[in-house]
Amino acid sequence: MQDDGTRHGAPRSCEWALALGIAALACAVVPVVGDWVSAPLGVAALGLGSFGSHVADRDGLPGMWHGLVGALLGLAALAAVLFSVAIGALGP
């Protein structure tokens, strides 16, 4: 079976967005150090997820939902980091 160079699955950016979104949300629950790790992972998941879901929708590829879920997980991780920083700034 020969490969004709076309992809029949989800774009790689959707797969990466989902993985990075899960990792970002998992790191967001770790105090202090998790904020430094979770913020860049969340931004990457948000960017890759929005780009990948757009490409998958435009080209009719499966996996658009993986990109959307990854972007939403990245957004949730960023919200958790911002909440953590805000609470830390208002603390005693």
Side-chain angles (χ1 to χ4, degrees):
M1 186 176 217
Q2 288 191 351
D3 186 19
D4 59 356
T6 59
R7 288 189 44 91
H8 301 288
R12 292 267 186 224
S13 56
C14 288
E15 297 167 1
W16 275 102
L18 185 60
L20 289 174
I22 292 170
L25 198 58
C27 290
V29 298
V30 178
V32 182
V33 176
D35 295 343
W36 291 94
V37 176
S38 182
L41 291 178
V43 170
L46 187 60
L48 286 173
S50 61
F51 173 74
S53 63
H54 171 71
V55 169
D57 186 39
R58 181 192 65 199
D59 295 343
L61 297 173
M64 180 184 78
W65 290 105
H66 292 164
L68 285 176
V69 170
L72 289 176
L73 287 173
L75 187 62
L78 287 174
V81 167
L82 289 175
F83 180 75
S84 173
V85 168
I87 292 299
L90 295 176

